[in-house]
Amino acid sequence: DIQVAAAATCGEEAAAQAVRLQLNVALIDLRLKWNLVEDEPSEANGLRLAMVLNQSPAAPAILVFAGCLEARWLLSLVDAGVRGCLAKDDDPALIVSAVRAAAAGMCVWTPAQLAILRSQSVDCLTQREREVLALVAQGCTNGEVAGRLGISVGAINKHVEHIFAKLHVH
């Protein structure tokens, strides 16, 4: 149920192919050359490609591969519309699962990545929203969060909706 539609050698080529092929999911290396003239790959080019892809009319779900992801890139990747970040040495079954999840509209951030994001960007959240986010980052379902905090699942759903809006994530 997964087909590799294209492979690219640089960001410019990847952007052109993604638009032409109207991909469902794009897996991009965070560290890449923007064009074939550049001498060295850069993390900024992976971020740039994610932003370009996310601005296209039929934007694909974007997953990023990183050898070693620094915390400073996480918030920028979320802002660029990336749905998750995978390690280059992740198990192939995990990568396939992440592609399927992204194609279904889900995010695939790890609990550790969510914790970093939470620490970088929670100033805009209320105390209750921070509590909800902390439990969700630990892997709790909305029902489990509701039980732990002693409030309804409907209230949790509303808090999650507000968290997503404030943090600009889907």
Side-chain angles (χ1 to χ4, degrees):
D1 63 327
I2 296 175
Q3 178 182 0
V4 176
T9 56
C10 66
E12 282 182 335
E13 182 182 351
Q17 287 185 14
V19 169
R20 182 175 51 84
L21 296 170
Q22 295 185 333
L23 303 175
N24 294 325
V25 178
L27 293 170
I28 63 175
D29 193 329
L30 183 61
R31 187 170 171 76
L32 64 112
K33 292 182 179 184
W34 183 251
N35 56 46
L36 297 177
V37 180
E38 288 185 351
D39 291 330
E40 293 294 322
S42 164
E43 289 88 354
N45 289 334
L47 177 61
R48 179 180 177 187
L49 177 56
M51 292 187 312
V52 167
L53 293 180
N54 201 36
Q55 291 173 359
S56 68
I62 302 166
L63 295 173
V64 169
F65 279 117
C68 179
L69 184 65
E70 296 177 33
R72 65 187 175 101
W73 290 105
L74 280 175
L75 197 54
S76 297
L77 290 170
V78 170
D79 288 342
V82 171
R83 295 209 182 154
C85 188
L86 304 164
K88 290 181 181 182
D89 61 352
D90 275 341
D91 184 274
L94 176 69
I95 295 168
V96 168
S97 175
V99 168
R100 286 187 178 121
M106 298 186 315
C107 292
V108 291
W109 299 101
T110 67
Q113 291 167 342
L114 287 173
I116 292 168
L117 285 168
R118 183 175 60 102
S119 70
Q120 290 183 350
S121 59
V122 296
D123 293 342
C124 62
L125 301 180
T126 66
Q127 180 60 34
R128 180 58 90 182
E129 289 167 344
R130 288 184 193 144
E131 293 168 347
V132 170
L133 181 58
L135 292 170
V136 169
Q138 293 172 18
C140 295
T141 65
N142 287 5
E144 291 168 336
V145 174
R148 287 189 186 186
L149 298 179
I151 57 179
S152 72
V153 174
I156 296 301
N157 291 341
K158 215 39 154 163
H159 285 306
V160 170
E161 184 180 315
H162 292 156
I163 291 166
F164 284 7
K166 288 179 180 179
L167 299 181
H168 308 288
V169 296
H170 306 287

